[in-house]
Amino acid sequence: MNYNEAINSSKVVLVEFFASWCPHCQRMMPIVAQIKELLQGTVDIYQFDIDEYADLAAANGANSVPTFIIYKDGEEQWRESGEIDGQVLLSKIESYLR
């Protein structure tokens, strides 16, 4: 699946660009996993390792990690870089489901 297919795969999509060596990303992993479980079937969540997908990260302006991007109907709605409280991230995603 390519990136455009991914961001259009459901009404609301969360994309995370991360790096396995990044301590902030490591702390976000269980939070994102929990959100993925909570929103299963309503939101597609895609995670891209910037070392593996450097061109994709650059093309999408993910200059720092982690970078979270929420798409609605294929259009970018929100973007945040760095560690973020899980409840804040969940609320932000849910706000686009309404």
Side-chain angles (χ1 to χ4, degrees), residues 18-55:
F18 73 96
S20 55
W21 46 262
C22 160
H24 303 292
C25 302
Q26 290 165 2
R27 284 193 288 275
M28 290 304 298
M29 280 295 167
I31 294 167
V32 173
Q34 197 174 15
I35 289 173
K36 199 182 258 189
E37 205 173 292
L38 281 169
L39 297 177
Q40 193 173 13
T42 44
V43 173
D44 286 344
I45 297 176
Y46 295 96
Q47 295 167 289
F48 297 99
D49 187 323
I50 61 160
D51 292 326
E52 227 175 290
Y53 296 95
D55 293 347

Side-chain angles (χ1 to χ4, degrees), residues 1-17 42-48 56-57 59-61 67-79 96-97:
M1 176 181 297
N2 71 30
Y3 193 76
N4 284 338
E5 286 172 6
I7 65 172
N8 285 292
S9 63
S10 70
K11 191 160 180 60
V12 176
V13 176
L14 172 68
V15 171
E16 177 192 13
F17 287 98
T42 44
V43 173
D44 286 344
I45 297 176
Y46 295 96
Q47 295 167 289
F48 297 99
L56 186 61
N60 287 284
T67 291
F68 298 96
I69 307 170
I70 297 174
Y71 293 92
K72 183 171 183 176
D73 298 321
E75 295 291 316
E76 183 178 324
Q77 301 295 318
W78 177 86
R79 167 188 296 249
Y96 293 103
L97 291 171

